[in-house]
Amino acid sequence: MSTVRKYQCMCGSFEAQVTGEPVLACWCHCKTCRKQTGAAMQLGVFQNFEVLKGDDQLIKYASTSGAFRNSCQNCGSFCYKVLPDGVKVAPLGALEPKIKPTCHIFVKDKGSQDVMFPELPQHDAFP
Ligand SMILES: [Zn+2]
Ligand SMILES: [Zn+2]
């Protein structure tokens, strides 16, 4: 049976669930992730993503190349990202049971302070 993981933003206005394992679990070093969080982000790309509540509580920011970053308007939490093809990306750090990133992406954009795990593959875009 597939694992179901629910997560909320910090204030609880937004809630979503992902079912099954991510098709990609990564450290994203792109500029927008670093600006949003101050660091690289742990992101999971999920085929099976469902908003349970609070989609009307989100600020939708049109990010690079047709992607949207959705954050809670009440607490500022990053809630999810929508890629140009409609696939949803969840913050791995909010999910239980834990999922470990298996690669680094947008390494060409990484900050000099970013911690890298040398055993993980590195890509300059989505693999
Ligand atoms: Zn919130
Ligand atoms: Zn990123």
Side-chain angles (χ1 to χ4, degrees):
M1 226 179 73
S2 299
T3 305
V4 177
R5 294 173 170 92
K6 289 185 185 181
Y7 70 98
Q8 297 182 322
C9 65
M10 288 189 291
C11 75
S13 299
F14 172 85
E15 186 173 302
Q17 75 177 24
V18 293
T19 305
E21 299 308 305
V23 291
L24 179 72
C26 60
W27 286 97
C28 185
H29 299 269
C30 81
K31 283 181 187 141
T32 46
C33 282
R34 289 190 290 112
K35 284 185 178 178
Q36 185 158 38
T37 68
M41 285 185 87
Q42 296 183 48
L43 297 177
V45 178
F46 288 89
Q47 294 289 3
N48 220 318
F49 179 101
E50 189 182 350
V51 174
L52 300 177
K53 69 168 184 179
D55 219 26
D56 59 347
Q57 299 294 307
L58 303 182
I59 298 169
K60 298 180 191 296
Y61 171 70
S63 182
T64 48
S65 64
F68 288 86
R69 306 177 82 91
N70 300 327
S71 304
C72 176
Q73 65 181 3
N74 304 308
C75 69
S77 299
F78 169 76
C79 292
Y80 68 101
K81 185 176 170 181
V82 185
L83 299 179
D85 55 7
V87 171
K88 310 285 196 314
V89 182
L92 283 187
L95 301 179
E96 295 283 348
K98 294 187 196 327
I99 297 169
K100 279 190 178 175
T102 56
C103 66
H104 293 275
I105 66 171
F106 293 101
V107 172
K108 66 179 179 355
D109 294 333
K110 84 178 185 65
S112 58
Q113 77 288 351
D114 285 6
V115 176
M116 302 296 287
F117 297 92
E119 70 276 19
L120 299 182
Q122 300 188 10
H123 308 283
D124 282 339
F126 280 103

